[in-house]
Amino acid sequence: MASINGPFDFEGPLGGMSAYKMYGSDKVILRQKGGPTRDQIKNDPAFVRTRELNTEHQAGMLLTGSIRHALFPVMHLGDPQFTGRLNALGKRVQVQDTISDRGKRNMYFSRCRHMLQGFSLNDIQVFDSIVRHPVTVRNNREERSSGISIPALIPEVNLFPVTKDPYYRLVLSLGIVSDVVFQHGMPVKEDTQEVQIHYTDWTNRGATFPATNIELQLETELTEGMSLLLAIGVEMGRKDPFNETRTVKRAGSAKVLGVF
């Protein structure tokens, strides 16, 4: 049987089918095509609930997009599946709105932001298994700032990189997540693009990383529907042909340090 390097379509005994592979699995996934037409979903009274779900799904995608934007400095350190877990979290946020009609339930993330506290972007090589010492955080919403105290990291004592790459560094980010609310039947959110990022210097994996204090502060004026998201990650690096240290793909880990 020929190998599958990407998704493709074919005709099977039950009609049109698609075959593809997912990262982290060596199995081929088959899905059968079919279902109602686009016009049926849009206009048929039998699909009212489907239309409601689709509209609320759009709201969920907006919230997930807002979280991902706040996390983009460390997203490359996460597993591919972590976005699915964010979508599931967004659904839990949405059902907290018990007042609005179905299909128009708002996503007041600011009212249950604790749900994202400590969220890991990794299932196996979690951040706390690499950096085995608490990172102290002082968050101040009024000043839109975070103070992070990183202890001295000593290899094989409280630092355990999961790869053999020769260098590591920490990356911290502070961004904004906005509530998603329905206006005129459509989900909208405030446009919040600012993200502050800090990278520590690359350190040899055999050397001690000195204790460090880092301050991050945003300029954007916050509204009640905005939440601040603080994240931390550890990257692994190696030298390129020009003797520059470059981040190694799919090496390292990240987590949410605080949401306030």
Side-chain angles (χ1 to χ4, degrees), residues 109-127:
F109 178 77
S110 60
R111 300 179 185 178
C112 47
R113 56 174 73 106
H114 61 277
M115 290 183 177
L116 198 61
Q117 181 74 34
F119 180 87
S120 174
L121 277 68
N122 310 83
D123 287 328
I124 300 177
Q125 54 185 47
V126 297
F127 181 87

Side-chain angles (χ1 to χ4, degrees), residues 127-163:
F127 181 87
D128 291 340
S129 69
I130 300 175
V131 178
R132 301 184 187 179
H133 196 291
V135 175
T136 304
V137 178
R138 302 170 304 281
N139 294 323
N140 190 318
R141 181 176 171 85
E142 291 185 1
E143 296 183 1
R144 308 178 299 280
S145 66
S146 289
I148 306 97
S149 296
I150 301 172
L153 301 180
I154 306 170
E156 305 303 322
V157 175
N158 60 358
L159 178 69
F160 295 84
V162 294
T163 69

Side-chain angles (χ1 to χ4, degrees), residues 188-209:
V188 297
K189 70 177 185 65
E190 296 184 79
D191 185 26
T192 52
Q193 299 297 317
E194 185 184 9
V195 179
Q196 289 294 321
I197 313 169
H198 179 88
Y199 295 95
T200 64
D201 293 334
W202 287 108
T203 302
N204 188 288
R205 65 175 292 127
T208 296
F209 176 87

Side-chain angles (χ1 to χ4, degrees), residues 90-98 105-106:
K91 191 61 181 178
R92 296 199 300 273
V93 172
Q94 195 166 51
V95 298
Q96 302 301 311
D97 182 359
T98 58
R105 288 180 293 185
N106 301 296

Side-chain angles (χ1 to χ4, degrees), residues 18 37 50 54 111 118 129 138 152 161 170 204 209 222-223 247 250 253:
S18 295
T37 66
T50 301
N54 287 345
R111 300 179 185 178
S129 69
R138 302 170 304 281
L170 298 176
N204 188 288
F209 176 87
L222 299 181
T223 65
T247 300
R250 302 196 184 283
S253 186

